[in-house]
Amino acid sequence: MNGAGEYVVFYAPEAVRAKTGRWRSMLIQRLVSTAISVAIGGAVWYFFAAQVGSFGPWLVGSALVVGLIWVIVTVTGLLRVRADAKLVVPGPAFATTRDGVWTAGLWLPWPEVGSFRAAPGRLGRSPQLRVESRDGRSAAVPMEYLSALPANIDSAVRALSGGRSWIDLSRLDD
């Protein structure tokens, strides 16, 4: 916050790179784990064919199916993280002043602000900070990629709105 009574939050591109890297690493781990599981199942079937009997194909198939399900879940998560990453551009993501709030290109004076809320992320997506106007317009930014914590943003909103607005963070507990 500066002396002019404004609070600006920027995007944090390093957070995007870190999360994308984690999901990419998870995908590689899932692929390697699936290959090892199938190889072990195949080896058990090959070397212990008499003991395994007709259960051998089921052993290999189940290892493959379970592994592929996890690979699909991880690929879906990686694609969602990459979609969120496209929203992160250099510059400010959120700003609030004594006059109103600006989020992702939407400027709202305080009397027009309907609600601030945090929406939880699902399957790799970042939680969203959503601002909605009284006439139905809305804008959202991914909270995980902001340079400030949600509680800090909430404090600034409360202070600069004169207590008229605050961020409902209760959904982040879900």
Side-chain angles (χ1 to χ4, degrees):
M1 199 179 292
N2 65 22
E6 64 182 31
Y7 182 74
V8 180
V9 178
F10 292 89
Y11 285 111
E14 62 278 356
V16 175
R17 286 190 293 275
K19 189 166 184 183
T20 304
R22 281 192 309 271
W23 277 91
R24 192 178 306 118
S25 174
M26 233 187 321
L27 177 59
I28 292 168
Q29 291 172 359
R30 300 281 191 215
L31 289 169
V32 169
S33 173
T34 300
I36 290 171
S37 297
V38 170
I40 289 172
V44 167
W45 183 22
Y46 180 76
F47 290 112
F48 300 102
Q51 290 87 353
V52 175
S54 64
F55 185 66
W58 289 101
L59 180 68
V60 174
S62 64
L64 182 63
V65 167
V66 169
L68 287 178
I69 288 171
W70 280 112
V71 166
I72 289 169
V73 167
T74 307
V75 166
T76 303
L78 180 60
L79 292 174
R80 289 181 142 199
V81 167
R82 286 183 177 169
D84 275 353
K86 290 178 184 175
L87 301 174
V88 177
V89 295
F94 176 88
T96 184
T97 68
R98 295 186 193 284
D99 298 323
V101 63
W102 178 87
T103 306
L106 177 66
W107 168 257
L108 294 173
W110 289 120
E112 293 182 25
V113 173
S115 68
F116 276 101
R117 62 184 170 90
R122 299 275 190 256
L123 192 60
R125 296 217 62 172
S126 169
Q128 301 284 312
L129 174 60
R130 180 171 292 284
V131 179
E132 296 175 354
S133 71
R134 296 186 189 280
D135 63 4
R137 295 177 291 157
S138 68
V141 292
M143 289 174 54
E144 197 168 341
Y145 308 129
L146 299 179
S147 62
L149 296 172
N152 295 351
I153 298 170
D154 180 45
S155 295
V157 166
R158 285 176 191 257
L160 291 171
S161 72
R164 292 177 284 191
S165 292
W166 60 90
I167 301 173
D168 179 9
L169 299 171
S170 63
R171 292 287 317 275
L172 293 181
D173 296 334
D174 293 347

